[in-house]
Amino acid sequence: PTMICGVDTLTKTGKETKTIVAFTATYNRTFTKYYSVSKIKTGTSKVISECMEEALNNFKKCNNIYPSHIILIRDNVTPTQFKTTTTDEVEQIKRAFTNLSLTPKLTYLLLNKKTTIKIFGLNNSNYNNVVPGTVVDIELGGEELNDFYLIPQKSLQGCSMPIYYVVGYDDKGVSSQELQLLVYKLCYLYYNFTGG
């Protein structure tokens, strides 16, 4: 059994800085039913650990078993924050495992939608957008990074924007091709999008 989680944060500044953490986790075999929770992070609170525990307990309640593999996709992280975010959040996630006496495998994937990279295809001397699902993953961040760019959508106007993914942690040993295919297929589960 596998659970796919998505995490995003929003920081509001003003008189008091608040960070809102949104956490979603699947709890069925086809990854189409979701448990969602949001929490306000204050100070050094470890809300991702709390959210993970709640999601794991919901998975157990619905399936009579805890997941053996968790894939967590973390949005809203800049490349300069990848290392510190990974270290802090993987520690929080593992704390949730320890609190529940679990030892599932974890794949932690970070993404950044605000890239400056443009990817074009050449067809009959014309530059065009590449087809959805195109992946670029050859020697991007050096040998120490397992990273790739993915074009997840068809652009009806302008230039298709790739999303940059980095595997921050993986003790399951999921192949790059499996992750690339998974995140591409997850794009088609976005229920608000009616385009092609």
Side-chain angles (χ1 to χ4, degrees), residues 56-120:
L56 287 164
N57 285 326
N58 181 71
F59 191 98
K60 165 82 170 169
K61 184 176 102 180
C62 296
N63 298 289
N64 297 318
I65 189 171
Y66 284 109
S68 61
H69 183 207
I70 295 164
I71 300 169
L72 190 135
I73 302 171
R74 176 63 159 91
D75 193 5
N76 201 15
V77 182
T78 64
T80 57
Q81 299 170 318
F82 281 170
K83 188 172 184 176
T84 55
T85 300
T86 298
T87 302
D88 178 54
E89 293 184 359
V90 167
E91 179 184 304
Q92 288 187 55
I93 294 163
K94 290 195 171 213
R95 182 178 301 125
F97 297 167
T98 302
N99 291 347
L100 296 172
S101 300
L102 302 176
T103 57
K105 298 294 184 185
L106 174 65
T107 303
Y108 181 86
L109 186 65
L110 301 105
L111 70 92
N112 183 358
K113 293 181 285 202
K114 298 174 184 168
T115 63
T116 57
I117 299 293
K118 307 285 189 258
I119 301 171
F120 298 99

Side-chain angles (χ1 to χ4, degrees), residues 19-81:
T19 300
I20 301 164
V21 176
F23 189 102
T24 301
T26 62
Y27 62 87
N28 69 338
R29 186 179 295 263
T30 56
F31 310 121
T32 54
K33 291 187 179 180
Y34 305 95
Y35 171 82
S36 298
V37 64
S38 60
K39 294 184 182 276
I40 296 175
K41 181 179 177 182
T42 55
T44 59
S45 65
K46 305 295 184 186
V47 297
I48 290 178
S49 181
E50 296 168 18
C51 294
M52 179 60 76
E53 275 192 56
E54 291 177 26
L56 287 164
N57 285 326
N58 181 71
F59 191 98
K60 165 82 170 169
K61 184 176 102 180
C62 296
N63 298 289
N64 297 318
I65 189 171
Y66 284 109
S68 61
H69 183 207
I70 295 164
I71 300 169
L72 190 135
I73 302 171
R74 176 63 159 91
D75 193 5
N76 201 15
V77 182
T78 64
T80 57
Q81 299 170 318

